[in-house]
Amino acid sequence: MYAALPVSDMEKAMDFYGNTLGLTIIDQNENGIWYKTASSRIALYRSSYAGTNLGTAAIWEVPDPKATVRALRA
């Protein structure tokens, strides 16, 4: 599990997380940027919901999403 943080200004967010906090980018693509934080990571993604409670808060990675959905529905 890791935190997903919506941002309205990706360049400003990258400056803060990279330069101010000193975090290292571990992945970057059209969906966002992932930074290493101790033994975990955080994801930044552009969103018009930045600064509200309407954005994604956490992401769980699972090996088989369809099986996980079936199990949760059951």
Side-chain angles (χ1 to χ4, degrees), residues 23-35:
L23 300 181
T24 301
I25 293 174
I26 56 174
D27 194 12
Q28 181 175 0
N29 61 40
E30 67 278 355
N31 296 315
I33 300 170
W34 288 258
Y35 285 93

Side-chain angles (χ1 to χ4, degrees), residues 2 4 8 12-16 22 24-25 28-29 34 39 42 44 46 49 53-54 61 63 67 74:
Y2 59 94
S8 58
K12 189 174 180 180
M14 287 176 67
D15 180 56
F16 177 74
T24 301
I25 293 174
Q28 181 175 0
N29 61 40
W34 288 258
S39 62
I42 59 170
L44 305 180
R46 269 192 187 86
Y49 297 119
N53 65 349
L54 300 174
E61 290 184 357

Side-chain angles (χ1 to χ4, degrees), residues 1 7 12 33 38 42 48 61 63-64 66-67 71 74:
M1 183 178 132
V7 299
K12 189 174 180 180
I33 300 170
I42 59 170
S48 59
E61 290 184 357
D64 186 345
K66 289 180 182 180

Side-chain angles (χ1 to χ4, degrees), residues 1-6 41-43 45 52-60:
M1 183 178 132
Y2 59 94
L5 308 174
R41 59 190 163 153
I42 59 170
Y45 66 97
T52 73
N53 65 349
L54 300 174
T56 302
I59 296 173
W60 282 266

